[in-house]
Amino acid sequence: MSRNFDILFAGFGGQGVLFSGKIAAYAGLYDDKNITWLPSYGPEMRGGTANCSVCISDEPIGSPCVVSPTAFVALNLPSFQKFKDSVKTGGTMIADSSLIPEKCDRTDINIFYVPAAKLAAENGLDGLSNIILLGKLFKETGFCTRESLDKALVHCVPKSKQHLLEPNKRALQLGMDC
């Protein structure tokens, strides 16, 4: 049985939306899957909109654009409002309930509310709510193997920021424990 994941990460620039997508894409690559990673962001460096489409598939991928995600990670309220109705029936949505006070009324998808920004602050992991949500996405969808996710995280943290590897690992585990 082939497994395909069309994942959409969305939030404000500076929240690590593209970085989360990059880790997911590399995890798929380490699992020997076909992958695409397509970032999209406004002209602002921080505070503008940002989203990232990631396709992980056993089959060739026809388009890197994720219009109807099987999984959606919302890091802010405008992204939640914009994309919540596009998730495929049976899909999964992970929302940062620290920053998204609304609930989704859909009953045809799996919805998980994680207070990621609050958890990050409480655990000395400021700026890593995106990785907490990535950990929750992994737990709920199994979009890759754990080994590949760990390898992808190590690969994506730049050599110049190796001091951030351990906090990222902690944030990932925190999300898996939610």
Side-chain angles (χ1 to χ4, degrees), residues 55-145:
C55 301
I56 302 172
S57 178
D58 290 333
E59 307 296 325
I61 298 167
S63 171
C65 296
V66 174
V67 178
S68 299
T70 54
F72 169 48
V73 179
L75 283 85
N76 66 5
L77 183 58
S79 297
F80 174 82
Q81 292 170 331
K82 181 176 181 178
F83 297 112
K84 66 181 179 179
D85 294 328
S86 67
V87 179
K88 283 183 184 172
T89 296
T92 300
M93 179 168 51
I94 313 284
D96 186 343
S97 59
S98 300
L99 304 175
I100 302 168
E102 292 182 12
K103 299 292 184 211
C104 183
D105 57 3
R106 289 185 63 185
T107 57
D108 63 332
I109 62 173
N110 301 304
I111 306 170
F112 300 92
Y113 300 99
V114 178
K118 181 180 177 206
L119 286 169
E122 290 173 352
N123 287 279
L125 300 168
D126 288 325
L128 295 177
S129 58
N130 61 320
I131 303 302
I132 292 171
L133 295 172
L134 181 64
K136 181 65 171 176
L137 177 69
F138 169 76
K139 176 185 177 183
E140 300 304 334
T141 66
F143 68 89
C144 66
T145 63

Side-chain angles (χ1 to χ4, degrees), residues 6 21 25 34-38 52-57 61-66:
D6 292 330
N34 294 296
I35 61 119
T36 60
W37 175 78
L38 182 65
C52 182
S53 295
V54 177
C55 301
I56 302 172
S57 178
I61 298 167
S63 171
C65 296
V66 174

